[in-house]
Amino acid sequence: MQSDRMADSANFTLRDEIKAYWSERAATFDQSSGHEIFSEEERAAWHALIGRHLGRGDGRKALDLASGTGVISHLMDDLGYQVTGIDWSEAMLERARAKAASRGRAIRFHVGDAENTLEADDSYDVIITRHLVWTLVDPEACFAEWLRVLKPGGKLLIIDGDFVNTGLAERLIKRLATFLERTNLIKTQAPHAPATMGSMHESILSRVHFSGGARVDTVSRMLKATGFSPVAADTNLRKIHKAQSQYFGFFKAIARGLQHRYAIIAQKPAE
């Protein structure tokens, strides 16, 4: 029995830990601003960002990687894309399917691995990801897989950020907020995730490829090395942040506005 437990532990990889973490988060994922969309202002800001880089769908095929509860999939569906969402977590997908059914959306969701999608070569017009790249164990393998799955001339849109490195201003804001909460001068903000999961998150973050932070220039260079061309960055996510900030406390909104968040648009060269 002990040897069986040791074998199970040895076989429980970092990828399994990531899957377990997000499965645990599924129950409360849509309760957080920055995950689910709570205003038409934010929805319009997302539509504008996606439209600026990918254009209208007009029935084109889109793959939403790490689709979670389907927030980005619904935005793509709004814009006229034929959307498939894949995620490691069945718990997330259960909520995604229920949400699509309640809204009458024809979005296909299934369990899948971003590094090995099992999709056919040259099968999607666009691929979109939000807050996936910073969690990747092997981004080079993932980028090569995404290049394979895209049609010639197809586009990849990555929305992500560096959630590790913080500037001086952000650190000072967070320290001030913590001090004011401890002295009961401001109301304590609800945590982004249950406190019991904090150590699990930190452990995972310390072992992923971008444990030092997923910076836009680093990710862009890797995409170019994979074969994407051209590759361009967009750091103007202010309208999205402004719409989200009304659901954060004053100090958290300021701190998030100081974070290194970005979109990267990369294209598979046309044959």
Side-chain angles (χ1 to χ4, degrees):
M1 292 293 293
Q2 184 176 0
S3 61
D4 289 342
R5 287 194 296 270
M6 291 176 64
D8 289 343
S9 177
N11 291 331
F12 196 73
T13 66
L14 176 55
R15 297 174 191 275
D16 293 322
E17 290 184 51
I18 294 171
K19 178 180 179 179
Y21 175 82
W22 288 111
S23 294
E24 185 74 16
R25 290 288 305 277
T28 58
F29 187 84
D30 282 343
Q31 296 176 15
S32 301
S33 182
H35 290 168
E36 182 55 283
I37 295 171
F38 296 119
S39 71
E40 290 307 310
E41 179 186 2
E42 182 183 352
R43 193 177 310 280
W46 277 108
H47 286 159
L49 175 70
I50 295 169
R52 184 161 69 244
H53 297 299
L54 299 178
R56 298 286 305 183
D58 296 326
R60 290 185 294 153
K61 293 181 64 178
L63 180 62
D64 179 13
L65 292 169
S67 56
T69 62
V71 177
I72 299 299
S73 294
H74 281 262
L75 292 171
M76 299 296 285
D77 185 75
D78 291 343
L79 294 172
Y81 285 91
Q82 181 184 341
V83 186
T84 296
I86 69 171
D87 199 281
W88 267 355
S89 168
E90 182 59 45
M92 286 283 191
L93 293 174
E94 287 177 3
R95 287 160 175 79
R97 295 186 190 109
K99 189 187 300 183
S102 69
R103 296 178 181 177
R105 304 295 187 94
I107 304 172
R108 175 173 168 258
F109 293 103
H110 65 86
V111 174
D113 182 351
E115 187 178 321
N116 183 20
T117 65
L118 302 180
E119 300 285 349
D121 293 355
D122 306 333
S123 55
Y124 284 91
D125 298 284
V126 303
I127 293 175
I128 187 167
T129 78
R130 182 180 68 163
H131 301 167
L132 166 64
V133 167
W134 73 274
T135 71
L136 294 177
V137 176
D138 189 349
E140 292 180 344
C142 285
F143 296 164
E145 171 71 354
W146 304 349
L147 188 71
R148 179 189 68 78
V149 168
L150 277 172
K151 295 178 182 179
K155 292 183 178 180
L156 165 69
L157 180 60
I158 292 171
I159 302 107
D160 225 289
D162 176 0
F163 308 119
V164 177
N165 298 293
T166 57
L168 177 60
E170 184 182 349
R171 291 196 297 272
L172 290 175
I173 288 292
K174 288 181 176 179
R175 288 174 186 171
L176 177 59
T178 299
F179 171 77
L180 294 175
E181 288 176 356
R182 287 177 177 172
T183 54
N184 296 317
L185 293 175
I186 63 172
K187 183 179 179 181
T188 301
Q189 294 295 309
H192 187 63
T196 54
M197 298 190 69
S199 59
M200 185 177 181
H201 178 272
E202 291 302 319
S203 174
I204 290 171
L205 180 58
S206 70
R207 289 174 290 148
V208 296
H209 181 90
F210 293 112
S211 58
R215 306 296 292 184
V216 66
D217 52 348
T218 302
V219 177
S220 295
R221 283 197 299 270
M222 293 182 71
L223 289 166
K224 291 176 183 176
T226 302
F228 285 95
S229 180
V231 177
D234 180 356
T235 58
N236 183 8
L237 276 61
R238 288 190 296 273
K239 289 185 177 179
I240 293 172
H241 169 69
K242 179 183 176 183
Q244 292 173 344
S245 65
Q246 61 185 301
Y247 298 97
F248 298 128
F250 175 75
F251 291 102
K252 184 175 180 180
I254 293 176
R256 281 178 64 95
L258 295 169
Q259 289 177 338
H260 179 70
R261 294 173 179 263
Y262 53 82
I264 299 175
I265 181 66
Q267 187 166 12
K268 179 174 180 174
E271 292 180 346

